[in-house]
Amino acid sequence: MAQFYLYLLIGICLGLLGWGFVRPDRIYQYPFIMGAIFVSFIVPQAIALVENPGVASSVAIERVLLMSCLCAGMCWFGYQSKPNLKLLKKLNVPHNDRKLRQGAIVVMAIGYFFLFLLSRTTIQFAANSNWTGPATIYIFFSKVIYIALAITVILALKNPTKVNIILALVAGLPIVQNAILVGRRQPTFAFLVIIGVCAFYVRRLLPPRLLTLGATVSAAYIIPILGQLRGDFWSAILNGNISSINFEQGLNRVLEGNVLEFRNAAILMDAAAKTGHYGYGTGFWDAIVFQYVPGQLLGYGFKNSLQFNLTSFDTVSLFDYSIPNGSTTTGIGDTFLELGYFGCIIFYILAYYFKNIWISAVYQNSVFSQLLYASIISPSMAGITHGIDRFFQEIILQIFVLMAIRYYLRN
C-alpha cells in the first residue's frame, strides 16, 4: 500500500501544479504554491522514506503517506468553496497612499529596531541546537519588515518616485542580506514571492510558464543544497562560480534518507496512534505560548504552566529513535498529532480563507488584502515544511500589525 499511496501523492501534487499551469494567474494562488512545496519538499522525502524506512514501520509509512494525500487534496478542495461575501466586504478597506507610506515607515522602523537589538545580542543555543533566549524574540518580531517590504513595493510599482523606490530598497535590504549572507531558505522564497505577487497586483506581470516550471523542479535540488551550504551557496552564485555547487548532492542526500523530516512525522504519528494521545489543538496553543510568553521575564515555570504538552512523546523509549537536531515534524505530522486524519481539515480551512483573500486582493483591488496575502503566503509555505504551529506563530504577528494598519487607514 505504501507504493500506492506514494503514487497517489505524486498524482495529487502534479494535479495541483497542472491546475496552476492551466491559467498563468494561478501560479501565485494557494493550491499551486502548496503543490510546488509538496513536490519540492515532501515528495522527495516520501520517496526516500519508502526506500529507506529506518525504524519506521510499514504501517507508519502508509499512515504518513495517506495523511499527506489528504492534506494535499484539501489544498484544492478548500479552494473550490464559494467566497464569503461578508468576509469580502470586511477585507475591502479604503486607503490612501500617503497613510500607507506612513504605516510602512513605522513598521520598517520597528523591524530595524529589533534587527539592531539582535545584532547586539549574543546568540544562545538550546540542547537541540536551536536558538533560545532573547535572540529568538528579536528575530521573530523583526519579521514585521516583510509587511513594510510589501507596502513599499506596491507603492513603488504604482508610483515609481525616488522616495517610494528608496523605501522599497531600504525595506528589502535586511531580507536580502539574510537570504544571501546567511543563506536562509524562508527569507529567500518570501522575498521572491512578495516581489512576484506585488508585481502581479499592480502591473499584472507574471513569469513565463517555462520559467515557473523550471523553478519548481529546481527547488527540489536547491532547497536541500541551500540548507547545507547556507551563505556559501549565494557566494558561489554571485562570484560566478556555479560549477562549484553540486546541485545533485543535496537531493541525493535527501533520497539517501539518513535524516528526514518526513520520518520524524511518521514516527510521531505512530506514537500518537499507538498511545491514543492527541493534542486536539493544544499543540498549536503550546507553540503560541512558546513564542509569545517570554520565560526570561515571566519565569519558565509560569510559561510551562500555560502549556499542555499532550503530544510530547519520548520517541527514544518508544521506537529507539531520536529526532535529529534542527529537523522539523512538518505540517503533515503536527496536524495529525492534533486531530488524527481529521487534521487535514486545517489545510481545507486555510485554502478557503486564502481564496477569499485572493479574490479581495485581485478582483476588488483591496490593498489591505494584497498586503495580507503577501504577508502570510510565506508562513503558509513554512506550515508544510516546518509545521502548522509555525504558521500560527507567524501569522498572529502579521495580522496584528496589519490590523493596526487597517485601523489607521480607516480613520
Side-chain angles (χ1 to χ4, degrees):
M1 287 298 290
Q3 288 289 346
F4 170 77
Y5 288 139
L6 176 60
Y7 293 143
L8 179 60
L9 174 62
I10 294 173
I12 293 172
C13 294
L14 292 178
L16 292 174
L17 295 182
W19 176 88
F21 281 118
V22 169
R23 278 181 24 199
D25 64 305
R26 288 179 174 175
I27 66 169
Y28 291 125
Q29 296 187 47
Y30 183 81
F32 180 83
I33 290 179
M34 294 301 101
I37 297 299
F38 267 95
V39 165
S40 59
F41 184 82
I42 295 295
V43 168
Q45 296 215 17
I47 295 172
L49 182 61
V50 171
E51 296 297 325
N52 184 13
V55 300
S57 66
S58 59
V59 174
I61 295 173
E62 291 172 6
R63 183 185 295 112
V64 72
L65 288 170
L66 175 58
M67 183 64 178
S68 300
C69 292
L70 293 174
C71 293
M74 289 301 169
C75 291
W76 184 83
F77 279 110
Y79 213 75
Q80 306 314 304
S81 302
K82 293 182 179 180
N84 187 313
L85 298 180
K86 291 183 179 179
L87 178 59
L88 291 177
K89 185 176 180 180
K90 291 181 179 179
L91 290 171
N92 194 9
V93 181
H95 79 282
N96 65 69
D97 288 350
R98 179 182 60 82
K99 281 191 172 184
L100 202 58
R101 186 183 300 107
Q102 292 171 350
I105 293 172
V106 172
V107 173
M108 193 189 310
I110 294 172
Y112 267 97
F113 172 72
F114 281 104
L115 287 172
F116 171 76
L117 293 179
L118 179 63
S119 68
R120 308 277 293 184
T121 303
T122 301
I123 307 299
Q124 302 174 23
F125 294 92
N128 60 1
S129 301
N130 292 332
W131 285 19
T132 187
T136 60
I137 299 174
Y138 300 153
I139 194 171
F140 181 75
F141 285 99
S142 69
K143 291 181 180 180
V144 298
I145 205 162
Y146 289 96
I147 298 176
L149 174 64
I151 296 174
T152 53
V153 168
I154 287 175
L155 291 175
L157 289 170
K158 288 175 60 178
N159 186 17
T161 63
K162 288 183 178 179
V163 173
N164 288 341
I165 293 173
I166 290 173
L167 286 175
L169 292 174
V170 173
L173 179 61
I175 302 174
V176 173
Q177 287 179 329
N178 198 23
I180 294 179
L181 299 181
V182 186
R184 295 289 182 183
R185 289 170 287 185
Q186 188 178 359
T188 302
F189 292 108
F191 178 81
L192 295 175
V193 170
I194 288 174
I195 298 298
V197 295
C198 290
F200 177 72
Y201 291 150
V202 180
R203 300 293 180 90
R204 292 297 189 264
L205 297 177
L206 287 167
R209 293 183 183 181
L210 287 178
L211 178 62
T212 302
L213 177 61
T216 302
V217 174
S218 300
Y221 294 88
I222 293 175
I223 289 176
I225 199 67
L226 186 56
Q228 294 170 23
L229 299 180
R230 296 298 183 185
D232 293 337
F233 176 87
W234 293 109
S235 296
I237 296 292
L238 295 175
N239 292 329
N241 195 19
I242 302 178
S243 59
S244 66
I245 302 175
N246 186 350
F247 286 94
E248 292 186 3
Q249 181 183 20
L251 182 58
N252 288 339
R253 286 190 178 182
V254 172
L255 295 177
E256 287 171 1
N258 295 323
V259 177
L260 293 174
E261 279 86 357
F262 208 56
R263 183 182 291 115
N264 296 344
I267 294 298
L268 288 171
M269 289 167 61
D270 203 20
K274 287 184 175 180
T275 61
H277 294 163
Y278 295 92
Y280 302 106
T282 60
F284 302 140
W285 167 259
D286 291 346
I288 293 170
V289 170
F290 174 81
Q291 188 63 61
Y292 287 96
V293 178
Q296 301 94 333
L297 300 178
L298 301 177
Y300 289 100
F302 172 74
K303 182 174 184 175
N304 292 335
S305 70
L306 298 176
Q307 297 176 302
F308 294 90
N309 294 317
L310 296 182
T311 56
S312 297
F313 299 110
D314 184 359
T315 57
V316 175
S317 61
L318 288 172
F319 306 101
D320 193 25
Y321 177 79
S322 180
I323 295 177
N325 291 340
S327 62
T328 70
T329 59
T330 75
I332 310 301
D334 71 349
T335 51
F336 185 91
L337 291 181
E338 298 304 313
L339 299 168
Y341 288 115
F342 290 105
C344 68
I345 299 298
I346 293 175
F347 287 91
Y348 179 97
I349 295 171
L350 292 178
Y352 170 74
Y353 278 102
F354 267 101
K355 178 176 183 177
N356 281 273
I357 298 170
W358 178 264
I359 291 174
S360 176
V362 176
Y363 297 103
Q364 295 183 337
N365 202 31
S366 167
V367 173
F368 174 77
S369 295
Q370 292 173 356
L371 297 176
L372 179 59
Y373 195 91
S375 300
I376 66 176
I377 193 64
S378 174
S380 74
M381 293 188 288
I384 294 179
T385 59
H386 291 70
I388 293 297
D389 55 356
R390 171 77 169 266
F391 171 78
F392 285 132
Q393 286 176 334
E394 295 195 12
I395 67 164
I396 287 175
L397 175 63
Q398 307 286 350
I399 290 177
F400 176 81
V401 174
L402 286 168
M403 290 304 293
I405 295 175
R406 180 178 184 272
Y407 176 80
Y408 182 63
L409 292 176
R410 293 179 67 97
N411 293 279

mmCIF file of all heavy atoms in Angstrom, residues 121-147:
data_model
loop_
_atom_site.group_PDB
_atom_site.id
_atom_site.type_symbol
_atom_site.label_atom_id
_atom_site.label_comp_id
_atom_site.label_asym_id
_atom_site.label_seq_id
_atom_site.Cartn_x
_atom_site.Cartn_y
_atom_site.Cartn_z
ATOM 1 N N THR A 121 23.114 41.204 20.490
ATOM 2 C CA THR A 121 22.816 40.104 21.396
ATOM 3 C C THR A 121 23.678 38.892 21.081
ATOM 4 O O THR A 121 23.867 38.540 19.914
ATOM 5 C CB THR A 121 21.327 39.704 21.290
ATOM 6 O OG1 THR A 121 20.513 40.845 21.571
ATOM 7 C CG2 THR A 121 20.987 38.591 22.277
ATOM 8 N N THR A 122 24.185 38.259 22.125
ATOM 9 C CA THR A 122 24.921 37.010 21.962
ATOM 10 C C THR A 122 23.929 35.865 21.795
ATOM 11 O O THR A 122 23.038 35.686 22.626
ATOM 12 C CB THR A 122 25.812 36.736 23.177
ATOM 13 O OG1 THR A 122 26.737 37.825 23.346
ATOM 14 C CG2 THR A 122 26.598 35.436 22.996
ATOM 15 N N ILE A 123 24.073 35.111 20.717
ATOM 16 C CA ILE A 123 23.142 34.034 20.419
ATOM 17 C C ILE A 123 23.339 32.885 21.408
ATOM 18 O O ILE A 123 24.471 32.421 21.627
ATOM 19 C CB ILE A 123 23.317 33.520 18.986
ATOM 20 C CG1 ILE A 123 23.240 34.685 17.982
ATOM 21 C CG2 ILE A 123 22.261 32.467 18.674
ATOM 22 C CD1 ILE A 123 21.938 35.426 17.999
ATOM 23 N N GLN A 124 22.249 32.445 22.014
ATOM 24 C CA GLN A 124 22.283 31.288 22.915
ATOM 25 C C GLN A 124 21.635 30.100 22.205
ATOM 26 O O GLN A 124 20.697 30.259 21.431
ATOM 27 C CB GLN A 124 21.524 31.593 24.208
ATOM 28 C CG GLN A 124 22.052 32.792 24.972
ATOM 29 C CD GLN A 124 21.181 33.131 26.164
ATOM 30 O OE1 GLN A 124 20.458 32.291 26.673
ATOM 31 N NE2 GLN A 124 21.254 34.383 26.615
ATOM 32 N N PHE A 125 22.149 28.916 22.495
ATOM 33 C CA PHE A 125 21.654 27.714 21.844
ATOM 34 C C PHE A 125 21.120 26.733 22.875
ATOM 35 O O PHE A 125 21.721 26.553 23.946
ATOM 36 C CB PHE A 125 22.753 27.042 21.016
ATOM 37 C CG PHE A 125 23.202 27.855 19.834
ATOM 38 C CD1 PHE A 125 24.275 28.728 19.953
ATOM 39 C CD2 PHE A 125 22.545 27.760 18.623
ATOM 40 C CE1 PHE A 125 24.694 29.484 18.867
ATOM 41 C CE2 PHE A 125 22.960 28.506 17.537
ATOM 42 C CZ PHE A 125 24.032 29.376 17.655
ATOM 43 N N ALA A 126 19.977 26.116 22.548
ATOM 44 C CA ALA A 126 19.403 25.086 23.413
ATOM 45 C C ALA A 126 20.104 23.755 23.155
ATOM 46 O O ALA A 126 20.985 23.653 22.296
ATOM 47 C CB ALA A 126 17.899 24.964 23.146
ATOM 48 N N ALA A 127 19.700 22.721 23.884
ATOM 49 C CA ALA A 127 20.330 21.408 23.746
ATOM 50 C C ALA A 127 20.134 20.822 22.358
ATOM 51 O O ALA A 127 20.961 20.037 21.877
ATOM 52 C CB ALA A 127 19.771 20.463 24.804
ATOM 53 N N ASN A 128 19.037 21.201 21.681
ATOM 54 C CA ASN A 128 18.766 20.676 20.336
ATOM 55 C C ASN A 128 19.378 21.536 19.234
ATOM 56 O O ASN A 128 19.020 21.405 18.057
ATOM 57 C CB ASN A 128 17.267 20.545 20.116
ATOM 58 C CG ASN A 128 16.531 21.879 20.252
ATOM 59 O OD1 ASN A 128 17.136 22.923 20.504
ATOM 60 N ND2 ASN A 128 15.217 21.839 20.092
ATOM 61 N N SER A 129 20.265 22.453 19.614
ATOM 62 C CA SER A 129 20.996 23.336 18.686
ATOM 63 C C SER A 129 20.150 24.474 18.144
ATOM 64 O O SER A 129 20.644 25.265 17.329
ATOM 65 C CB SER A 129 21.587 22.534 17.503
ATOM 66 O OG SER A 129 22.457 21.539 17.974
ATOM 67 N N ASN A 130 18.901 24.603 18.555
ATOM 68 C CA ASN A 130 18.061 25.725 18.143
ATOM 69 C C ASN A 130 18.376 26.946 18.986
ATOM 70 O O ASN A 130 18.856 26.847 20.120
ATOM 71 C CB ASN A 130 16.583 25.363 18.276
ATOM 72 C CG ASN A 130 16.160 24.313 17.279
ATOM 73 O OD1 ASN A 130 16.725 24.206 16.197
ATOM 74 N ND2 ASN A 130 15.166 23.510 17.650
ATOM 75 N N TRP A 131 18.073 28.122 18.420
ATOM 76 C CA TRP A 131 18.273 29.353 19.178
ATOM 77 C C TRP A 131 17.361 29.377 20.392
ATOM 78 O O TRP A 131 16.258 28.826 20.376
ATOM 79 C CB TRP A 131 17.952 30.559 18.306
ATOM 80 C CG TRP A 131 18.996 30.877 17.278
ATOM 81 C CD1 TRP A 131 19.972 30.048 16.800
ATOM 82 C CD2 TRP A 131 19.156 32.118 16.581
ATOM 83 N NE1 TRP A 131 20.724 30.680 15.853
ATOM 84 C CE2 TRP A 131 20.249 31.960 15.704
ATOM 85 C CE3 TRP A 131 18.489 33.333 16.620
ATOM 86 C CZ2 TRP A 131 20.681 32.987 14.869
ATOM 87 C CZ3 TRP A 131 18.909 34.350 15.781
ATOM 88 C CH2 TRP A 131 19.991 34.183 14.923
ATOM 89 N N THR A 132 17.818 30.044 21.440
ATOM 90 C CA THR A 132 16.999 30.268 22.618
ATOM 91 C C THR A 132 17.346 31.634 23.200
ATOM 92 O O THR A 132 18.291 32.280 22.760
ATOM 93 C CB THR A 132 17.218 29.155 23.671
ATOM 94 O OG1 THR A 132 16.283 29.326 24.739
ATOM 95 C CG2 THR A 132 18.633 29.211 24.237
ATOM 96 N N GLY A 133 16.573 32.081 24.165
ATOM 97 C CA GLY A 133 16.863 33.365 24.800
ATOM 98 C C GLY A 133 16.307 34.555 24.035
ATOM 99 O O GLY A 133 15.481 34.406 23.120
ATOM 100 N N PRO A 134 16.787 35.764 24.352
ATOM 101 C CA PRO A 134 16.255 36.995 23.745
ATOM 102 C C PRO A 134 16.386 37.039 22.226
ATOM 103 O O PRO A 134 15.562 37.666 21.554
ATOM 104 C CB PRO A 134 17.107 38.097 24.394
ATOM 105 C CG PRO A 134 17.596 37.509 25.678
ATOM 106 C CD PRO A 134 17.791 36.048 25.397
ATOM 107 N N ALA A 135 17.389 36.382 21.661
ATOM 108 C CA ALA A 135 17.600 36.439 20.209
ATOM 109 C C ALA A 135 16.385 35.913 19.450
ATOM 110 O O ALA A 135 16.046 36.425 18.381
ATOM 111 C CB ALA A 135 18.847 35.654 19.824
ATOM 112 N N THR A 136 15.724 34.899 19.997
ATOM 113 C CA THR A 136 14.547 34.339 19.322
ATOM 114 C C THR A 136 13.418 35.359 19.275
ATOM 115 O O THR A 136 12.647 35.398 18.313
ATOM 116 C CB THR A 136 14.067 33.068 20.033
ATOM 117 O OG1 THR A 136 13.726 33.380 21.396
ATOM 118 C CG2 THR A 136 15.153 32.007 20.032
ATOM 119 N N ILE A 137 13.314 36.174 20.326
ATOM 120 C CA ILE A 137 12.280 37.210 20.368
ATOM 121 C C ILE A 137 12.587 38.298 19.348
ATOM 122 O O ILE A 137 11.711 38.730 18.592
ATOM 123 C CB ILE A 137 12.167 37.806 21.783
ATOM 124 C CG1 ILE A 137 11.766 36.717 22.783
ATOM 125 C CG2 ILE A 137 11.162 38.952 21.811
ATOM 126 C CD1 ILE A 137 11.763 37.196 24.228
ATOM 127 N N TYR A 138 13.841 38.726 19.311
ATOM 128 C CA TYR A 138 14.225 39.820 18.421
ATOM 129 C C TYR A 138 14.066 39.441 16.954
ATOM 130 O O TYR A 138 13.523 40.218 16.157
ATOM 131 C CB TYR A 138 15.672 40.237 18.687
ATOM 132 C CG TYR A 138 15.919 40.725 20.092
ATOM 133 C CD1 TYR A 138 17.182 40.612 20.685
ATOM 134 C CD2 TYR A 138 14.894 41.291 20.856
ATOM 135 C CE1 TYR A 138 17.412 41.061 21.974
ATOM 136 C CE2 TYR A 138 15.109 41.738 22.149
ATOM 137 C CZ TYR A 138 16.374 41.605 22.708
ATOM 138 O OH TYR A 138 16.592 42.043 24.004
ATOM 139 N N ILE A 139 14.536 38.247 16.594
ATOM 140 C CA ILE A 139 14.442 37.859 15.177
ATOM 141 C C ILE A 139 12.988 37.628 14.773
ATOM 142 O O ILE A 139 12.596 37.890 13.636
ATOM 143 C CB ILE A 139 15.304 36.607 14.900
ATOM 144 C CG1 ILE A 139 15.459 36.441 13.383
ATOM 145 C CG2 ILE A 139 14.681 35.351 15.514
ATOM 146 C CD1 ILE A 139 16.468 35.382 12.991
ATOM 147 N N PHE A 140 12.172 37.174 15.720
ATOM 148 C CA PHE A 140 10.762 36.937 15.408
ATOM 149 C C PHE A 140 10.046 38.249 15.119
ATOM 150 O O PHE A 140 9.366 38.381 14.099
ATOM 151 C CB PHE A 140 10.093 36.206 16.567
ATOM 152 C CG PHE A 140 8.633 35.905 16.322
ATOM 153 C CD1 PHE A 140 8.254 34.901 15.459
ATOM 154 C CD2 PHE A 140 7.649 36.649 16.947
ATOM 155 C CE1 PHE A 140 6.912 34.626 15.227
ATOM 156 C CE2 PHE A 140 6.310 36.385 16.721
ATOM 157 C CZ PHE A 140 5.945 35.367 15.857
ATOM 158 N N PHE A 141 10.206 39.233 15.998
ATOM 159 C CA PHE A 141 9.495 40.496 15.796
ATOM 160 C C PHE A 141 10.106 41.343 14.685
ATOM 161 O O PHE A 141 9.448 42.251 14.174
ATOM 162 C CB PHE A 141 9.448 41.280 17.112
ATOM 163 C CG PHE A 141 8.460 40.738 18.103
ATOM 164 C CD1 PHE A 141 8.866 39.916 19.137
ATOM 165 C CD2 PHE A 141 7.112 41.014 17.976
ATOM 166 C CE1 PHE A 141 7.950 39.390 20.044
ATOM 167 C CE2 PHE A 141 6.186 40.497 18.869
ATOM 168 C CZ PHE A 141 6.614 39.686 19.905
ATOM 169 N N SER A 142 11.333 41.057 14.302
ATOM 170 C CA SER A 142 11.920 41.780 13.174
ATOM 171 C C SER A 142 11.240 41.419 11.858
ATOM 172 O O SER A 142 11.380 42.132 10.864
ATOM 173 C CB SER A 142 13.421 41.471 13.069
ATOM 174 O OG SER A 142 13.644 40.132 12.663
ATOM 175 N N LYS A 143 10.470 40.319 11.846
ATOM 176 C CA LYS A 143 9.820 39.866 10.618
ATOM 177 C C LYS A 143 8.699 40.786 10.159
ATOM 178 O O LYS A 143 8.168 40.603 9.059
ATOM 179 C CB LYS A 143 9.288 38.446 10.802
ATOM 180 C CG LYS A 143 10.396 37.407 10.922
ATOM 181 C CD LYS A 143 9.835 36.007 11.081
ATOM 182 C CE LYS A 143 10.966 34.980 11.204
ATOM 183 N NZ LYS A 143 10.441 33.607 11.357
ATOM 184 N N VAL A 144 8.344 41.770 10.968
ATOM 185 C CA VAL A 144 7.343 42.742 10.510
ATOM 186 C C VAL A 144 7.849 43.521 9.297
ATOM 187 O O VAL A 144 7.065 44.138 8.579
ATOM 188 C CB VAL A 144 6.951 43.730 11.633
ATOM 189 C CG1 VAL A 144 6.313 42.998 12.801
ATOM 190 C CG2 VAL A 144 8.153 44.540 12.108
ATOM 191 N N ILE A 145 9.162 43.454 9.081
ATOM 192 C CA ILE A 145 9.719 44.183 7.946
ATOM 193 C C ILE A 145 9.237 43.604 6.620
ATOM 194 O O ILE A 145 9.263 44.286 5.582
ATOM 195 C CB ILE A 145 11.262 44.200 8.021
ATOM 196 C CG1 ILE A 145 11.815 45.420 7.269
ATOM 197 C CG2 ILE A 145 11.880 42.911 7.475
ATOM 198 C CD1 ILE A 145 13.231 45.769 7.617
ATOM 199 N N TYR A 146 8.756 42.356 6.626
ATOM 200 C CA TYR A 146 8.179 41.787 5.413
ATOM 201 C C TYR A 146 6.929 42.557 5.004
ATOM 202 O O TYR A 146 6.645 42.710 3.810
ATOM 203 C CB TYR A 146 7.830 40.313 5.626
ATOM 204 C CG TYR A 146 9.032 39.396 5.717
ATOM 205 C CD1 TYR A 146 9.560 39.028 6.942
ATOM 206 C CD2 TYR A 146 9.637 38.911 4.565
ATOM 207 C CE1 TYR A 146 10.663 38.189 7.030
ATOM 208 C CE2 TYR A 146 10.727 38.067 4.635
ATOM 209 C CZ TYR A 146 11.238 37.716 5.876
ATOM 210 O OH TYR A 146 12.330 36.893 5.953
ATOM 211 N N ILE A 147 6.158 43.020 5.992
ATOM 212 C CA ILE A 147 4.975 43.822 5.695
ATOM 213 C C ILE A 147 5.397 45.148 5.081
ATOM 214 O O ILE A 147 4.800 45.628 4.110
ATOM 215 C CB ILE A 147 4.144 44.047 6.969
ATOM 216 C CG1 ILE A 147 3.648 42.703 7.518
ATOM 217 C CG2 ILE A 147 2.963 44.984 6.699
ATOM 218 C CD1 ILE A 147 2.903 42.815 8.831
#
